[in-house]
Amino acid sequence: FCFQHDVTPGECWAFGGSQGQVVLRLPAPMQPTAVTVQHIYKEVSPSGSVSSAPRDFTVSGVEKEGEEETLLGTFIYDVEKEAIQTFPLKVEETRVGKDQTRGK
């Protein structure tokens, strides 16, 4: 599920229970534009089910550790669609752009 080298069906990085959280600490600042989620199709699932597929999820970010999170999007992964689904994130203007519009 999350940064796995072995993507063989049944060899995923699973959460215990019905909810989970992933935190990524990146080595350098970046502005993400999308997040991609992949889950196997029911037809190739070892259990014959995709009940473990993610459904409702949110993506948040912080500019600096310790700051308040900014919601970048709320999404629904649909197991009836493609196995790989990409969701665009909200991209805010840069601070310079925001400051420039205030003076007008």
Side-chain angles (χ1 to χ4, degrees):
F1 167 75
C2 187
F3 300 99
Q4 288 277 125
H5 292 290
D6 184 1
V7 293
T8 308
E11 295 297 321
C12 64
W13 185 72
F15 292 110
S18 62
Q19 294 184 2
Q21 183 176 7
V22 175
V23 176
L24 303 175
R25 288 190 174 91
L26 303 174
M30 65 164 294
Q31 177 64 55
T33 57
V35 63
T36 299
V37 176
Q38 178 178 5
H39 197 274
I40 61 173
Y41 289 110
K42 182 178 180 179
E43 295 78 20
V44 295
S45 171
S47 68
S49 169
V50 289
S51 61
S52 64
R55 286 175 194 61
D56 302 317
F57 67 97
T58 61
V59 177
S60 297
V62 294
E63 190 169 327
K64 294 179 183 174
E65 193 167 338
E67 290 185 356
E68 190 170 326
E69 292 182 1
T70 299
L71 180 66
L72 301 176
T74 299
F75 309 102
I76 299 173
Y77 180 88
D78 186 345
V79 296
E80 300 299 323
K81 293 185 177 179
E82 295 297 318
I84 299 174
Q85 297 174 32
T86 298
F87 304 91
L89 300 174
K90 293 179 190 175
V91 179
E92 292 188 12
E93 296 177 38
T94 63
R95 290 187 189 274
V96 172
K98 287 182 184 177
D99 290 343
Q100 289 175 347
T101 59
R102 286 185 191 155
K104 293 183 179 182

